[in-house]
Amino acid sequence: MMSEDAGRMLVMYDDPSDQRSLSLDETSSTEESPDETRLSLETTADSVPYIGQRFATHDAAYEFYSEYAKRCGFSIRRHRTEGKDGVGKGLTRRYFVCHRAGNTPVKTLNDSKPQRNRKSSRCGCQAYLRISKVTDLGPAEWRVTGFVNHHNHELLEPNQVRFLPAYRTISDADKNRILMFAKTGISVQQMMRLMELEKCVEPGYLPFTEKDVRNLLQSFRKSDQEDESIDLLRMCRNNKDKDPNFKFEYTLDSNNRLDNIAWSYASSVQSYEIYGDAVVFDTTHRLTAFDLPLGIWVGVNNYGMPCFFGCVLLREENSRSFSWALKAFLGFMNGKAPQTILTDQNMCLKEAIAIEMPSTKHALCIWMIVAKFPSWFNAVLGDRYNEWKAEFYRLYNLESIEDFELGWRDMVDFFGLHTNRHIANLFALRTLWALPYLRSHFFAGMTTTGHSKAINSFIQRFLSAQTRLAQFVEQVAVAVDFKDQAAEQQTMQQNLQNICLKTGAPMESHAASVLTPFAFSKLQEQLVLAAHYASFQMDDGFLVRHHTKLEGGRKVYWVPREGIISCSCHQFEFSGILCRHALRVLSTGNCFQIPDRYLPLRWRRISTSPAKLLQSTSSDHTERIQLLQSMVSTLVTESAKSKERLDIATEQVSILLSRIREQPVASQGARDISPIHRNL
């Protein structure tokens, strides 16, 4: 229905001397009688179009009608012309119509192209202005010969009409400013805030929106697409020439232009060999300057620090593109799929992982889900939002599936969220994000808030200084190299630091000599807590529970002869760190060392073969000496465990020492060892 305000709008009709019907939707329309003309209460006569009104040009008439429409709450567009410039009398008549004139054209479905299915704003509105060219009274001029201001839709308020596309404009000066901002790598949201401050306007009152800025950046990228593609491929090929172990793959579209591209560095491939058991594939970012979807593969090393595995730029975010990206990544990593992969909630990506990595456990990053909570639940819950969020985290961290599902139902009842679609969707996907369903799978601790912040900070290094695409590839390489160097320095410092033992138990000192300080600190927490638990031997294992509890507990199974121990809490499977329950049973059974299989290679101080580490191009002379010292320290620790081990170590070290003394000493020493490319 038409609003009361719209009903008061001026309605004027055709000049009887210029009778001609208008068809806005290619159907017939009727001219209404001048008797129904009513003067608008909101406009003055000199600002309202009227029959006989004259303009020097048709563009002047358009500008006048456009300003009038803006005041009234709608916008206009050029519709139909009669005559043709340069032919005969040229243009003789023009029609300007409401932006909601006409009806939605029927689209021809094309299976090969995705349909956007955007809702049309057209509703058959008959409001229009007609102007005709008059030449019989001297110089040519344009005269209003038809005007209808009757709308069949609501008219917008002044604070809403500015969002219509016709009134959203970006000046040349603003375009240059936006492109300059884009080259600094800041987000579109940050650009808008800066320009609001510069122009001293309230938030949201710029003459354009974030969408307009994104469209501008997209058009700029398209206009320079071919050059960018050439530069990007040239950069990747140059990297390949410098380092044969640099990996990259790309696809071209039907016009032979770059479509998708993925790459990884030699150091990343080597890191993946050791730490590629659990991976985050973050696809929530875009390359701001060109509005390209960006995917980054990240893991966690033995010191709990993020490590980079690979990067991909995609034109489209669909199942086919994601499948290509995953295939390329597996190709870089010699076909080795991760045990687990964490992603955002994206159904296309979920489908692609199921196809390309069928043996990999797919889960959703909890921090990516939680980031959406304010927009999902703040308005719904109001003052109870923080209370609900605390209850959500409690349920998320439960161990029992049964407790989780019962608790979830209670939470929905208590907060009245039975009809909330986000709650329903979260519950439907619970096996992909809730810890009770994931504890049997290894995630290297990346489901915790601390790791999420570290990974996000790490990714921001790549996004903080974007310019052109080719420079982005270079910036990623610099960020990776810097992080690798920082990790190595921290590794050496942590290897040499004194670790504070808290329990004095032999198991603790043994673990301290094997694990990195990061991993040891996690195990040490469990060792301290283990002292508060009691263990009871049962027919099929042990029952372990807190000394203050009379019921409940965890079931622990231990086979001493085979060195196998497992707990119903699944902490070791989830994090690679033995739980307090298993440690309590080991202590009760007079076990003074943790079995080797429960000190995983990925959490040890030396987590790759000595040959590879000594050949690493990133290790200089001093670092190799420190590495050798660490290896010798571990050798002494392991050899001292038995007479047989000590005998073997003494014999082999004597042989090795003799061989080393036979080698000549180069004039430049070991510092001039030539780099060896790692073929991974």
Side-chain angles (χ1 to χ4, degrees), residues 295-313:
I296 300 177
W297 286 278
V298 183
V300 171
N301 68 12
N302 54 341
Y303 283 84
M305 299 171 60
C307 53
F308 176 87
F309 293 144
C311 194
V312 63
L313 288 169

Side-chain angles (χ1 to χ4, degrees), residues 292-333:
L292 285 172
L294 172 68
I296 300 177
W297 286 278
V298 183
V300 171
N301 68 12
N302 54 341
Y303 283 84
M305 299 171 60
C307 53
F308 176 87
F309 293 144
C311 194
V312 63
L313 288 169
L314 303 170
R315 290 293 176 198
E316 301 289 340
E317 293 179 275
N318 52 38
S319 297
R320 185 177 65 176
S321 296
F322 285 132
S323 285
W324 178 86
L326 294 171
K327 284 179 182 176
F329 180 72
L330 290 175
F332 298 159
M333 305 307 170

Side-chain angles (χ1 to χ4, degrees), residues 395 398-409 436-437:
L395 296 174
L398 289 174
E399 291 183 3
S400 164
I401 291 175
E402 183 181 359
D403 289 346
F404 173 85
E405 296 192 350
L406 289 173
W408 187 271
R409 283 195 285 271
Y437 301 91

Side-chain angles (χ1 to χ4, degrees), residues 14 22 24 31 65 95-97 126-130 146-148:
D14 285 345
L22 172 69
L24 300 182
E31 303 292 347
Y65 189 32
Y95 292 88
F96 307 131
V97 300
Q126 295 291 318
Y128 75 95
L129 178 79
R130 182 178 66 219
F147 176 48
V148 172

